[in-house]
Amino acid sequence: MGQGRDDDYAQFAEARAGHLYRSACLLTGGDTHLAEDLVQETLGRLYAGWRRVSRVGNPAGYAQTTLTRVFLTHQRRRSSKERATDVLPELPDARGAHPDPLLRMTLIEALGQLPPKDRAVVFLRYWEDRSIEETADVMDVSSAAVRTRCVRALARLRVLLGDGIGEYASP
């Protein structure tokens, strides 16, 4: 019985790890090392509760919620804030990457400048395409707080990206 549970978990983790990592990269503003740590922590928590998680109607959604909560907990817990630098992390192989790397890097840089909770709201609402109520549930806040934070985060992104963002976008 234990081996079957491990096999089920291993299949799930293998199938979802890439998506969790991409999501974590967006949440961390492109910090690939922190993204790896967050995915590892998320997968560890899922494994510890796999018997319960596997019975949930949507284990992939549960994993995304866990990832977001792990990210927010990490941001609250950090005793010393890391300082942003002008050195980009190593970049993945360009094959299969987003067709417009300049736009992608500009957006990730702008996301990285948002406070963690604002970044989480933008991530959940626009990357994960979750409703306000689902986002509020994941972040453990009210729906009004999600709406307010979303409006402020989008306004901040508009300021960060400026009018020049149109030059990066291709029709």
Side-chain angles (χ1 to χ4, degrees), residues 7 25 28-29 39 47 62 80 90 94 103 116 128 148 165 167-168:
D7 290 343
C25 284
T28 61
V39 170
Y47 180 74
Y62 189 93
S80 63
E90 61 271 5
L103 173 62
E128 288 288 314
T148 300
I165 191 64
E167 72 187 54
Y168 299 113

Side-chain angles (χ1 to χ4, degrees), residues 100-122:
D100 192 350
L102 188 56
L103 173 62
R104 181 177 182 195
M105 293 306 297
T106 301
L107 292 173
I108 287 176
E109 184 179 314
L111 278 173
Q113 293 180 41
L114 292 177
K117 288 184 179 179
D118 288 354
R119 201 175 323 146
V121 165
V122 170

